[in-house]
C-alpha cells in the first residue's frame, strides 16, 4: 500500500498512476481508498480520458459495495448517460470487467444493467445494444442462466424497443 501511495503521487506517467490507483482502490482501507479516489478525481477532473479511467477503476472494484458505488457515480458530475464513452467506462466496464459483482447470485447486476439499457434504448440504441453483450452469453453461466434469460425476455415486451436492442435480444434468445 505504501509503495502504491508513493507511485500514485510521484509517477511521471499516467500508466503508473492508474496502476497505483487501481491497487489502492482494490486493497487499501475503505477510508483511505475513498481519499485516494477523491484526490485523483480532483487532480484530473479536467482531463476527460483520465476521468473515464477513474470511472473504470471504480466499476471494476470487486467489493460488495460496487453496485451501490456505480449507482451513486451515475449522479456524479463526471458521468453523463448521454455520453457513450462515459457509459462504456462505468456501466460497460462493470458488466464486462467485474464478473464477481456483475454475476452476483441475487441477479442485482443483471437488473441494473437491464434498467440502464432501457434508459439508453431511447437515448442511444447502439450503445444500449452493445451493453447487452455480456448477457447474450447467458447459456454459459450455469446457475445464473435462468435469471439472465428472464431479464432478456422482459426486454422483448418493452414498447418502443429499438431495432438495435431488439435484434441483439432476439438473436441471443434463439
Amino acid at each position: 500500500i505504501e509503495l502504491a501511495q508513493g507511485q500514485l503521487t510521484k509517477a511521471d506517467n499516467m500508466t503508473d498512476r492508474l496502476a497505483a490507483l487501481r491497487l489502492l482502490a482494490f486493497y487499501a482501507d475503505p477510508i483511505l481508498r475513498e481519499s485516494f479516489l477523491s484526490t485523483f478525481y480532483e487532480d484530473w477532473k479536467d482531463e476527460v480520458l483520465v476521468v473515464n479511467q477513474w470511472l473504470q477503476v471504480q466499476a471494476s472494484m470487486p467489493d460488495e459495495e460496487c453496485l451501490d458505488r456505480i449507482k451513486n457515480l451515475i449522479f456524479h458530475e463526471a458521468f453523463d448517460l448521454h455520453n457513450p464513452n462515459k457509459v462504456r467506462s462505468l456501466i460497460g466496464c462493470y458488466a464486462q470487467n467485474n464478473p464477481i459483482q456483475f454475476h452476483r447470485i441475487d441477479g442485482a447486476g443483471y437488473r441494473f444493467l437491464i434498467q440502464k439499457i432501457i434508459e439508453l434504448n431511447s437515448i442511444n440504441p447502439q450503445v444500449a445494444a452493445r451493453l447487452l453483450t455480456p448477457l447474450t452469453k447467458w447459456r454459459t453461466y450455469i446457475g445464473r442462466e435462468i435469471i439472465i434469460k428472464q431479464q432478456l425476455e422482459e426486454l422483448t415486451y418493452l414498447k418502443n424497443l429499438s431495432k438495435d436492442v431488439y435484434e441483439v435480444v432476439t438473436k441471443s434468445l434463439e
Side-chain angles (χ1 to χ4, degrees):
I1 298 297
E2 287 178 31
L3 289 172
Q5 282 179 274
Q7 182 170 312
L8 181 64
T9 57
K10 296 175 185 163
D12 62 359
N13 64 78
M14 190 53 65
T15 301
D16 289 346
R17 282 181 196 254
L18 283 168
L21 180 66
R22 185 177 181 87
L23 193 146
L24 292 165
F26 279 44
Y27 302 108
D29 171 82
I31 294 169
L32 278 175
R33 170 180 62 211
E34 294 309 316
S35 174
F36 295 129
L37 288 166
S38 178
T39 300
F40 187 89
Y41 175 74
E42 286 303 316
D43 291 346
W44 296 98
K45 67 182 175 185
D46 296 326
E47 298 293 331
V48 175
L49 297 177
V50 177
V51 171
N52 289 348
Q53 292 288 322
W54 176 78
L55 290 169
Q56 288 177 16
V57 166
Q58 294 180 81
S60 60
M61 292 167 60
D63 63 325
E64 292 186 14
E65 293 82 31
C66 183
L67 187 54
D68 290 333
R69 181 181 316 102
I70 291 169
K71 289 177 180 179
N72 288 331
L73 283 168
I74 286 174
F75 299 102
H76 191 280
E77 67 181 2
F79 184 79
D80 180 1
L81 195 63
H82 292 85
N83 181 321
N85 290 330
K86 300 291 183 197
V87 171
R88 282 189 288 270
S89 293
L90 185 61
I91 301 168
C93 183
Y94 169 67
Q96 294 277 12
N97 300 337
N98 194 341
I100 292 170
Q101 289 304 315
F102 180 64
H103 295 289
R104 293 166 39 154
I105 195 70
D106 64 1
Y110 309 138
R111 287 189 299 278
F112 169 76
L113 182 61
I114 292 295
Q115 175 190 11
K116 292 302 156 201
I117 288 169
I118 291 168
E119 290 177 45
L120 285 162
N121 181 62
S122 60
I123 297 170
N124 191 328
Q126 293 82 18
V127 171
R130 189 66 174 260
L131 286 177
L132 278 164
T133 301
L135 298 179
T136 62
K137 302 170 184 129
W138 59 272
R139 288 176 181 86
T140 63
Y141 295 107
I142 307 301
R144 311 246 186 339
E145 72 276 11
I146 294 169
I147 299 169
I148 299 171
K149 184 180 179 190
Q150 288 171 340
Q151 294 297 310
L152 290 170
E153 287 172 340
E154 285 182 27
L155 275 179
T156 64
Y157 301 120
L158 248 161
K159 292 181 181 178
N160 303 322
L161 191 63
S162 70
K163 291 178 185 177
D164 302 271
V165 173
Y166 180 79
E167 181 181 355
V168 173
V169 170
T170 55
K171 282 186 177 183
S172 72
L173 289 172
E174 288 178 352

